[in-house]
Structure formats: C-alpha cells, structure tokens
Amino acid sequence: IFTPTTLTNLVLWLDAANTASVKDVEGVSPGQVNFNNEVKTWMDLSDSSAIHNLDSSGASAPNWDVTEKAVRCNGSNQVMATVDHVDTNMGTIAQRTITTAFKVGSDTSSRQVIYEEGGGVRGINIYIQDNKLHCGFWNERDDGDGFQAYNELTISINPSSKYIVSYVLDYSHFVDKNSTDGVVECFVNGSSFGQISTTSRLHAHSGNIGLGAMNDGSYFPGDGASTGSRYYLKGVIYEFLMYNSAHSSDDIRKLDNILQRKWF
C-alpha cells in the first residue's frame, strides 16, 4: 500500500490529521478539554534519524481551524520554523522533493509565502502573488558548480481553493562544474506546470526555514534579496512533507492522489 513513507528519504512530515502531533504551549492537542486553540508546536512524524518539529516563531502562534481540522495562518503575524540541521538547510542538497497541501484565502493578489528556506544568496520559495502560485530557486554565488540567478515557475490559482503543490529539485547526476544542468520541476494537484534548469545545487545555508511566511529573508523577482519576517499566509495548511530525494512524476501523482482523498 502506497503511503508517504513509501518514498525514500523522508526527513520532515507534518500532518494535521494526526491531531496528537499538534500542541499548544502546554502540550495539549486539539480535541482535548484544555486545548487553547493555538499551535505552538507541530511535531515531525517522519521517523527520520533527526526530528524536525516546527514551532511558532511569529508574534503569535497559528490557530487550529476546527472546521478544516488543520492549521490556520492569519495573514498578519504568524510563522512556523525549525532549527538548523544538515537534513534541512545545513547540508548541500542535490535532490529534494517538497509537497504541501494547503487552502488559500480570498486574497491571492498580495504576496504570501507558503514555504521558504534560505535568504538573499540562495534558497527555495513557494509563494502566492498576482493570482499565481510561484516556485523559485536561486544561488547567486558560485560555490564550485555555477552561479544560478533567481528563476521560477508560475501557474494561475483561484481564491478560496485547495491545492497540493510539489516542488522537485533534481541534480542527482552532478559530478563537477562541467556536469549538465540540473532541473527544478513543479506540480499542482499531480500535474506538472513546467521545468527550469539550474547550474547549481542547493548549498548549505544558515537562512531560516519558514512555513506560513518569509522567516528572516528570501528573494523575489523585481525586489531581489528581501529581509525580515513578512509576507504572511492567510490560509490553511493541512500537510507538509520534505524528502531528500527527487521523486518521479509517477510518485508525485501517487502522493497527490492520497492527499487529495484525504483533504479535498
């Protein structure tokens, strides 16, 4: 039976359906009498060698949405983050797959970050702006495998709608600076909406990881390097998975299928 753990190198898994993994500041979960409706910690269910729980690091904690049975971000001051680790941001990554199930609010024109890691020099971001979903990649420093200017894929989205986005970085064939380019490919609801090439892997960085907002810094076309914590998501996050493998389009469709049955 295909499950998220069927795919290799799962290093981070947040699943709102497992309410015991959602904790308020007192360690109480949704459905328990004393739960205060704030999500202080969202526990990692990946069973990887290191646990990467996410904790609220904004001005206030995200809330538990009793109707959606998931984590709701208010669009103004809520973001979740995890500590630096070689699995997530402190290792050089040649392969990565990120999949998240979410629901956007009525505003899809303003910039709202769903996920980002890195900062002005290098990183990944998945965000909403101008009624589109954007998936970006950049490494504006030559670390021995080439300078990669910011590049992104986009697709139109609708307000108040549910989506599953998968972001796949594949530079598994990298040997040295003379290797042919790697590929970034992104999917929405199981269907690819394009590929871009990259001359660079995702190199180790101390830039923070942010779920639900830009956490300390990122990069956007037109603006360039951006700093601070802002671009808060106003919407719902159901599930988030990170793999340090580049999974095939067939596996992405299988994963999308089980998430759609679960959340749509």
Side-chain angles (χ1 to χ4, degrees), residues 11-12 15 35 37 55 100 104-105 111 116 130 140 159 167 249:
V11 296
L12 175 56
D15 182 5
F35 181 62
N37 208 45
D55 293 293
T100 185
V104 296
R111 183 180 293 163
E116 64 85 11
D130 297 330
E140 300 218 332
Y167 181 119
S249 57

Side-chain angles (χ1 to χ4, degrees), residues 56-76:
S56 61
S57 62
S60 69
N63 299 110
W64 180 254
D65 189 308
V66 296
T67 301
E68 298 287 350
K69 296 181 172 58
V71 176
R72 176 169 290 280
C73 301
N74 67 3
S76 61

Side-chain angles (χ1 to χ4, degrees), residues 12-16 18-30 35-45 51-57 60-64 71 79-82 211:
L12 175 56
W13 182 14
L14 308 174
D15 182 5
N18 186 325
T19 55
S21 70
V22 177
K23 305 287 186 182
D24 67 14
V25 69
E26 300 296 334
V28 181
S29 297
F35 181 62
N36 72 3
N37 208 45
E38 292 186 346
V39 181
K40 174 61 178 174
T41 300
W42 200 352
M43 298 173 64
D44 176 15
L45 303 174
I51 301 302
H52 307 295
N53 296 337
L54 266 73
D55 293 293
S56 61
S57 62
S60 69
N63 299 110
W64 180 254
V71 176
V79 59
M80 302 197 78
T82 188
L211 184 67

Side-chain angles (χ1 to χ4, degrees), residues 51-251:
I51 301 302
H52 307 295
N53 296 337
L54 266 73
D55 293 293
S56 61
S57 62
S60 69
N63 299 110
W64 180 254
D65 189 308
V66 296
T67 301
E68 298 287 350
K69 296 181 172 58
V71 176
R72 176 169 290 280
C73 301
N74 67 3
S76 61
N77 60 2
Q78 298 170 341
V79 59
M80 302 197 78
T82 188
V83 298
D84 293 345
H85 192 274
V86 68
D87 286 348
T88 52
N89 63 328
M90 296 303 291
T92 297
I93 302 297
Q95 300 182 66
R96 173 156 288 170
T97 299
I98 295 168
T99 295
T100 185
F102 63 97
K103 182 178 181 179
V104 296
S106 58
D107 174 19
T108 55
S109 60
S110 60
R111 183 180 293 163
Q112 300 170 61
V113 172
I114 299 164
Y115 171 81
E116 64 85 11
E117 60 173 284
V121 174
R122 60 177 67 90
I124 284 172
N125 57 26
I126 302 170
Y127 67 99
I128 299 162
Q129 188 176 352
D130 297 330
N131 304 310
K132 294 180 180 180
L133 178 70
H134 302 247
C135 294
F137 181 83
W138 66 100
N139 185 24
E140 300 218 332
R141 179 181 297 162
D142 187 346
D143 295 289
D145 53 6
F147 170 98
Q148 176 58 56
Y150 182 91
N151 203 356
E152 68 175 13
L153 294 158
T154 65
I155 189 171
S156 296
I157 58 171
N158 297 315
S160 305
S161 300
K162 296 181 180 181
Y163 293 97
I164 298 166
V165 59
S166 291
Y167 181 119
V168 181
L169 165 67
D170 187 359
Y171 210 156
S172 53
H173 61 276
F174 176 83
V175 176
D176 58 33
K177 64 181 181 180
N178 298 313
S179 299
T180 57
D181 290 352
V183 173
V184 173
E185 183 171 14
C186 290
F187 302 76
V188 161
N189 298 344
S191 297
S192 173
F193 62 94
Q195 295 182 347
I196 51 177
S197 61
T198 173
T199 60
S200 174
R201 297 164 291 172
L202 178 61
H203 285 265
H205 59 83
S206 58
N208 293 332
I209 284 175
L211 184 67
M214 181 178 77
N215 184 15
D216 193 41
S218 192
Y219 195 104
F220 302 97
D223 298 349
S226 297
T227 59
S229 294
R230 46 187 170 145
Y231 307 132
Y232 296 95
L233 174 68
K234 189 170 186 178
V236 177
I237 301 174
Y238 302 98
E239 199 155 344
F240 178 87
L241 302 108
M242 179 189 290
Y243 301 85
N244 282 340
S245 290
H247 291 301
S248 69
S249 57
D250 184 55
D251 284 335

